Amino acid sequence: MEANKQPILQITNVSKYFPVKNSKLFLKSKDFLKAVNDISLNIYPGDTIGIVGESGCGKTTLAKMILHLQKPTKGQILYNGVDIYSMDKAETKHLRTEIQIVFQDPFSSLNPRMRVGEIIGEPLKIHYKLSKDEYEKQVMEIMMKVGINPKHMNRFPHEFSGGQRQRIMIAKALILKPKVLVCDEPVSALDVSIRSEILNLLSDLKKEMEFTILFISHDLTVVEYICSRIAVMYLGKVVEAANEADLYAKPIHPYTKALLSAIPVPDPHHKSERIILEGDVPSPINPPVGCFFKNRCIYKNERCNASPELSEREPAHYVACHNC
């Protein structure tokens, strides 16, 4: 997508299948839940790329594979040109410092028995040998950057609000100065009034610390606000990928159009045409042959019996559809 840049992450034909055992009397058969299906995506340094789609479309599974938490069934994930699943133990440990995550629920992600300073500084103890003064200095610096008073480093997580706990999670993720930050719906558990503060904090820290963001969400207004590029997923596949402005101004895939039509507009006089999709999302255990979206698509025809490739329709605008 960007000819002059080398991708920091290259995701090539990646799939992830989970075995599902079905037992009928004495006969046992094994099916597979196809969480991610043949995804190819390049992520460039400095990107803020959004991954959007309905719950269960494979967004978090894709993130876990990038984080080296779940090995792909098929395909390859390269970090700076190196396959992350061919790395040895030392290289994998170093990769942990390069790619970090901010989870959805800040309360359940924090150890209630540890003080905040210990939680934030724990990655430093694992990866580096620092003096006590240097350790405390780095913890206090990152706390100030995320807007938490360093004087509160001896408090426990339950003594902070939801927004403050998410700031603590961001501090823990960024204390190692990673090159890629995966944000798995980091504001969905927060009050609406706090969301913009966290999004602005992430944007400011990205500029200051120069890292790349992979932002997972099903909230299209949040993704529009923070992301420069967006990939839309449906049933484990990317169906459309484009720059933020192009995707919202000129969506091409019928699924993307339906998602965007569901965004509420804060104007009582504005009349928008809501696109209602027919039917339900197919089972990821037994997806349709060919195009996974064809059973819900108004454009379906015989060509949809073959799986569409993600192809460039306009500059930097990719769509997987035979008929649109």
Side-chain angles (χ1 to χ4, degrees):
M1 292 184 186
E2 296 184 29
N4 298 326
K5 280 189 178 183
Q6 179 69 25
I8 190 169
L9 277 169
Q10 289 176 276
I11 303 164
T12 307
N13 303 121
V14 166
S15 299
K16 180 61 180 178
Y17 301 159
F18 295 98
V20 179
K21 292 184 179 180
N22 296 323
S23 181
K24 295 181 180 179
L25 295 177
F26 298 105
L27 300 176
K28 292 184 178 181
S29 62
K30 183 181 287 187
D31 294 325
F32 289 92
L33 188 152
K34 300 174 181 178
V36 173
N37 277 282
D38 195 29
I39 282 183
S40 295
L41 192 67
N42 288 341
I43 300 174
Y44 295 87
D47 260 357
T48 302
I49 182 168
I51 307 292
V52 301
E54 295 169 293
S55 297
C57 71
K59 304 186 297 295
T60 299
T61 301
L62 177 62
K64 288 180 178 179
M65 289 189 286
I66 292 171
L67 289 159
H68 204 287
L69 298 177
Q70 290 180 343
K71 188 175 181 178
T73 306
K74 301 177 183 177
Q76 192 177 51
I77 299 176
L78 305 182
Y79 176 73
N80 285 331
V82 179
D83 186 346
I84 66 173
Y85 287 94
S86 66
M87 293 179 173
D88 60 27
K89 188 175 181 180
E91 291 171 326
T92 301
K93 184 177 180 181
H94 177 69
L95 181 71
R96 304 291 187 201
T97 69
E98 298 281 293
I99 306 176
Q100 285 286 310
I101 184 170
V102 177
F103 293 101
Q104 179 177 359
D105 183 359
F107 189 73
S108 63
S109 304
L110 299 173
N111 189 333
R113 298 182 179 182
M114 292 178 66
R115 299 180 188 275
V116 163
E118 295 173 322
I119 292 172
I120 294 173
E122 186 178 27
L124 288 177
K125 291 183 177 180
I126 294 172
H127 292 279
Y128 302 110
K129 293 181 179 179
L130 301 174
S131 66
K132 182 179 179 181
D133 290 343
E134 182 62 25
Y135 167 82
E136 291 183 352
K137 178 184 176 183
Q138 292 196 33
V139 171
M140 289 190 288
E141 283 180 353
I142 198 66
M143 288 181 73
M144 287 189 289
K145 283 184 178 181
V146 301
I148 298 292
N149 192 330
K151 293 181 180 179
H152 298 160
M153 65 189 303
N154 289 321
R155 292 185 177 182
F156 291 94
H158 72 269
E159 298 179 78
F160 294 87
S161 67
Q164 289 174 320
R165 286 195 290 263
Q166 196 60 291
R167 290 173 185 268
I168 292 166
M169 280 301 302
I170 294 171
K172 180 180 180 180
L174 294 182
I175 197 167
L176 294 175
K177 299 178 181 177
K179 300 300 182 184
V180 178
L181 184 66
V182 178
C183 299
D184 189 2
E185 305 208 32
V187 297
S188 63
L190 304 179
D191 294 338
V192 175
S193 59
I194 304 299
R195 292 182 183 183
S196 60
E197 294 181 12
I198 298 299
L199 294 174
N200 289 332
L201 174 65
L202 286 170
S203 296
D204 293 341
L205 290 172
K206 175 180 175 288
K207 293 176 184 176
E208 180 183 348
M209 301 179 71
E210 297 182 343
F211 54 83
T212 301
I213 295 178
L214 177 65
F215 195 95
I216 296 170
S217 180
H218 59 255
D219 190 331
L220 292 166
T221 55
V222 168
V223 172
E224 181 183 19
Y225 182 78
I226 193 172
C227 296
S228 56
R229 294 173 56 228
I230 299 170
V232 181
M233 286 186 65
Y234 180 81
L235 206 63
K237 286 182 173 288
V238 172
V239 297
E240 188 163 1
N243 296 326
E244 171 268 325
D246 292 338
L247 188 83
Y248 282 79
K250 297 182 293 182
I252 297 176
H253 197 280
Y255 178 64
T256 307
K257 292 178 180 179
L259 286 181
L260 295 178
S261 75
I263 299 176
V265 178
D267 181 357
H269 303 292
H270 178 83
K271 293 183 179 180
S272 58
E273 183 180 352
R274 176 72 191 276
I275 301 174
I276 307 295
L277 295 176
E278 297 180 356
D280 297 320
V281 179
S283 169
I285 298 175
N286 186 27
V289 176
C291 177
F292 285 6
F293 188 67
K294 66 180 181 181
N295 294 340
R296 308 178 74 190
C297 183
I298 60 174
Y299 303 122
K300 64 182 177 182
N301 57 32
E302 292 182 357
R303 298 179 64 192
C304 302
N305 292 324
S307 181
E309 297 291 332
L310 195 67
S311 58
E312 190 172 19
R313 301 299 178 84
E314 296 180 8
H317 196 145
Y318 297 79
V319 183
C321 182
H322 293 299
N323 305 310
C324 58

